[in-house]
Amino acid sequence: MSTIVKISNLDKVFGRLHVLHNLSLDVARSEVICIIGRSGSGKSTLLRCINFLEEPSAGTIEVEGIVVNAGGKGKEHRDLVHAIRLKTGMVFQEFNLFPHMSVLENVTEGPITVKGMHKKEAIEIAEMNLERVGLDEKRDEYPNRLSGGQKQRVAIARALAMEPRVMLFDEPTSALDPELIGEVLTVMKKVAKEGMTMLVVTHEMGFAREVADRVVILGEGNIVEQGSPSEIFSNPKHPQTKALIERYRTAES
């Protein structure tokens, strides 16, 4: 299967804090990768470097043939970053919906303002994606009238409406009450089954076991172990992986 995302020798430094260390990772088209690790291991920073919400300190990011080197300047660099962002949808821990816009307006805003899409076409795409996440009946509601789970599903529909090639999920259920987590995970499972390439930072081990093609363990800014869910959860080899799995098992019991 062809590679769609290629991360090469990625470093990220914040002042004296070296968050990512020479990290490399290839992602195959339609692959679902779940990224887990302790707090501060660099998980969210990794995702944010892929779409240049954080500018990498060193290394190269490639998404579907678009190659961007860290530290670039000028219009060419900005144009390449813009092209990568068009190919990568992102869902954050917080929903980041525009409170003064309806659900439909939140979902059409990106295609209209970023891609220059005609309003009629953007509405058709938004309606399709709201149906995809089970919220077509909420199109005229405003975010303050939605539950946390519904807000996150709108956020997923908003990202999908940009027709990305890769979806990045940064702990998408961490801000939700426990009873609302399932509805968001169900939508994510559906998107994965449709063949979307997904990188998911998560602490939902059940989701990782069921949906991931590969589980990547981050520790101190680099990959300490990776493998299939059965390999990682049944036979972890690295001490950090063993400690993480044991902690999650304790929390679930």
Side-chain angles (χ1 to χ4, degrees):
M1 197 173 293
S2 62
T3 297
I4 188 170
V5 177
K6 187 176 184 64
I7 302 163
S8 303
N9 308 116
L10 181 65
D11 269 57
K12 179 59 185 176
V13 179
F14 294 99
R16 296 182 179 179
L17 188 62
H18 203 154
V19 180
L20 297 173
H21 298 263
N22 199 37
L23 187 151
S24 295
L25 178 68
D26 288 0
V27 183
R29 195 175 300 274
S30 298
E31 187 176 19
V32 177
I33 292 182
C34 284
I35 302 167
I36 63 175
R38 294 179 300 186
S39 178
S41 60
K43 306 182 300 296
S44 295
T45 301
L46 170 59
L47 288 196
R48 293 173 69 87
C49 283
I50 292 172
N51 66 359
F52 285 80
L53 287 177
E54 296 287 355
E55 180 75 35
S57 302
T60 303
I61 304 290
E62 179 177 345
V63 179
E64 206 173 43
I66 298 170
V67 181
V68 186
N69 295 311
K73 306 286 185 188
K75 185 178 184 302
E76 182 180 1
H77 180 73
R78 291 194 299 272
D79 288 348
L80 288 170
V81 168
H82 179 69
I84 274 189
R85 286 176 177 165
L86 288 176
K87 292 181 179 291
T88 52
M90 186 149 186
V91 178
F92 300 89
Q93 296 178 37
E94 301 294 339
F95 323 116
N96 296 336
L97 301 180
F98 295 113
H100 62 289
M101 291 183 177
S102 70
V103 164
L104 184 67
E105 289 168 337
N106 265 282
V107 180
T108 58
E109 178 69 9
I112 291 171
T113 61
V114 178
K115 298 181 78 172
M117 191 178 290
H118 190 277
K119 185 175 181 181
K120 181 181 178 183
E121 183 183 359
I123 288 173
E124 289 174 356
I125 289 173
E127 289 174 337
M128 178 188 71
N129 282 292
L130 286 171
E131 183 177 359
R132 202 171 170 187
V133 302
L135 287 174
D136 44 320
E137 80 285 359
K138 298 289 185 181
R139 53 171 282 165
D140 296 320
E141 296 283 5
Y142 284 80
N144 66 351
R145 295 182 58 85
L146 302 178
S147 70
Q150 289 170 335
K151 289 176 184 176
Q152 193 61 295
R153 284 191 280 153
V154 173
I156 294 172
R158 178 179 60 184
L160 291 171
M162 293 295 287
E163 301 177 318
R165 299 292 185 263
V166 180
M167 285 285 285
L168 310 174
F169 293 87
D170 186 7
E171 297 198 32
T173 61
S174 64
L176 300 178
D177 293 332
E179 66 270 19
L180 301 176
I181 290 172
E183 66 186 71
V184 173
L185 294 180
T186 296
V187 168
M188 292 172 63
K189 290 173 188 176
K190 179 181 178 183
V191 173
K193 286 179 181 177
E194 291 170 355
M196 176 65 72
T197 307
M198 294 168 53
L199 285 88
V200 185
V201 171
T202 186
H203 57 272
E204 297 294 335
M205 295 300 102
F207 175 85
R209 287 191 193 101
E210 181 181 349
V211 181
D213 297 301
R214 187 165 27 134
V215 177
V216 171
I217 311 296
L218 281 197
E220 298 173 354
N222 212 325
I223 297 169
V224 298
E225 187 169 356
Q226 59 182 307
S228 69
S230 61
E231 290 169 338
I232 294 297
F233 292 108
S234 300
N235 189 29
K237 294 180 172 55
H238 194 280
Q240 285 191 38
T241 309
K242 292 177 181 178
L244 274 172
I245 300 304
E246 184 57 38
R247 186 167 31 169
Y248 289 127
R249 283 177 182 153
T250 301
E252 289 175 349
S253 62

